[in-house]
Amino acid sequence: MSSLAGAKGVEAFALAPDPDDPQLTRCVDGRDQLGQPVSLNVVVERPLTLYLNGTEVVTLMTIGDHPELLALGFLLNQNMLAADDAVTAIEHDAELDVVVVRTRSEARYEQKLQRRIRTSGCAQGTVFGDIMERFDDTRLDTTAELRSSWLRSLLVQIGRQPSLYQKAGAIHGCVLCRRDRPLVYMEDVGRHNAVDKIAGYMHRNGLSGHDKIFYTTGRLTSEMVIKTVHMQIPILVSRSGFTAWGVELARRAGLTLIGRAKGLRFVVLAGAERLVYDLALARSPGASS
């Protein structure tokens, strides 16, 4: 796996989508509105059953890349693993579509499984009734900032990066960034899977979230806010819109929440004090995007 130190240049991602991976898309024949034959690339989704120390936790629908990172990030973001829990092994069986996360001591999470609820997220997004356990205790870095010039640069670089979305659509993307540099780009059929993969990457590589920016193509829902706060990332950006509870939780946590970020345009509904407007057009009502 690439290290951040090995990435060269502003546009060199440490980890990014591989749209040419034949296991991630499939060509399907069909017909268009005129009845003419067409061939279309479609994203492949497959089940991945996650075990923690031999106990089945959940089956996720995923594109299947980076299953170890997905499993680790899911357990961390669901508060089933703490950041200081010793993970001794992560084993993936591609034939059985199973991934097993093993820890040094037995995890106490059985009661959490009984309180699982379905959320507004797509593709098997789930959350546990006590996921707020860490939320109110997390303190985000108040010195972090986001310059409008950085945001503009990030949007351009992310848009230029080859992706499964460009090839086949029907997929969400998430990008971990620092200042004006995108670092790690993950995609999946559900935005929460993409978030969890990045959380797993951060944990495995010992990356702190305090100086990071998180970008997502998905809606800024309550769960997106909660997961970003759990990763201790102070700034969350999306090209999509907001939910009311997502905004409420962002303000409660001191998270900077930016939506509808396209071109030179964006809207900040929480944490505007972190924004530095260093692009003249960012303040111009008549500026085109």
Side-chain angles (χ1 to χ4, degrees):
M1 183 176 294
S2 301
S3 66
L4 296 184
K8 296 182 179 179
V10 175
E11 297 189 42
F13 290 72
L15 198 60
D18 181 7
D20 296 325
D21 186 338
Q23 298 186 62
L24 302 184
T25 60
R26 181 179 303 156
C27 188
V28 178
D29 295 329
R31 293 186 178 274
D32 65 11
Q33 68 279 0
L34 299 177
Q36 299 300 310
V38 295
S39 294
L40 189 69
N41 288 312
V42 298
V43 174
V44 173
E45 58 177 332
R46 51 178 58 87
L48 179 69
T49 301
L50 168 59
Y51 286 80
L52 178 56
N53 293 328
T55 299
E56 182 176 342
V57 176
V58 68
T59 296
L60 303 165
M61 296 306 299
T62 174
I63 59 175
D65 66 339
H66 309 294
E68 297 91 348
L69 298 181
L70 174 58
L72 181 58
F74 177 89
L75 293 173
L76 289 166
N77 277 334
Q78 296 294 352
N79 207 21
M80 299 175 71
L81 278 181
D84 57 354
D85 282 338
V87 176
T88 57
I90 305 178
E91 303 161 0
H92 175 232
D93 189 317
E95 293 186 2
L96 297 178
D97 292 318
V98 166
V99 61
V100 181
V101 177
R102 302 189 186 280
T103 59
R104 184 167 297 160
S105 58
E106 184 176 353
R108 299 179 180 179
Y109 66 92
E110 286 80 6
Q111 291 182 356
K112 294 182 181 181
L113 291 176
Q114 303 304 317
R115 300 197 299 274
R116 189 173 63 189
I117 60 174
R118 187 73 60 186
T119 71
S120 60
C122 55
Q124 303 297 324
T126 58
V127 68
F128 294 91
D130 63 349
I131 201 170
M132 299 297 290
E133 186 176 316
R134 287 186 292 143
F135 185 82
D136 288 326
D137 292 332
T138 301
R139 298 293 178 263
L140 300 178
D141 190 343
T142 58
T143 66
E145 69 175 21
L146 173 62
R147 297 180 177 271
S148 53
S149 60
W150 297 352
L151 180 55
R152 169 62 174 167
S153 177
L154 289 172
L155 295 177
V156 170
Q157 293 177 71
I158 293 169
R160 289 176 177 171
Q161 174 65 30
S163 65
L164 287 169
Y165 177 80
Q166 294 173 351
K167 182 175 182 178
I171 202 163
H172 285 289
C174 291
V175 186
L176 181 69
C177 313
R178 183 194 296 124
R179 295 172 65 92
D180 61 348
R181 178 186 173 192
L183 304 175
V184 179
Y185 188 165
M186 295 288 188
E187 290 182 298
D188 214 302
V189 286
R191 64 187 182 275
H192 300 305
N193 286 351
V195 178
D196 290 342
K197 289 176 187 177
I198 290 181
Y201 181 93
M202 291 175 65
H203 185 272
R204 178 173 278 187
N205 289 274
L207 295 183
S208 168
H210 80 277
D211 61 344
K212 304 301 189 298
I213 300 162
F214 199 90
Y215 172 84
T216 177
T217 60
R219 304 182 305 278
L220 296 172
T221 63
S222 57
E223 191 171 1
M224 285 297 298
V225 168
I226 291 168
K227 288 190 174 189
T228 303
V229 171
H230 280 180
M231 291 186 286
Q232 297 185 315
I233 298 174
I235 300 166
L236 174 58
V237 181
S238 174
R239 72 182 185 195
S240 190
F242 311 81
T243 68
W245 195 27
V247 174
E248 179 181 337
L249 288 177
R251 291 178 175 178
R252 176 169 152 187
L255 174 74
T256 296
L257 195 65
I258 301 173
R260 300 180 182 178
K262 297 178 181 179
L264 295 173
R265 300 182 185 274
F266 59 86
V267 177
V268 188
L269 293 188
E273 65 276 3
R274 288 194 179 93
L275 266 291
V276 177
Y277 295 91
D278 62 344
L279 281 179
L281 288 179
R283 294 186 179 184
S284 174
S288 64
S289 58

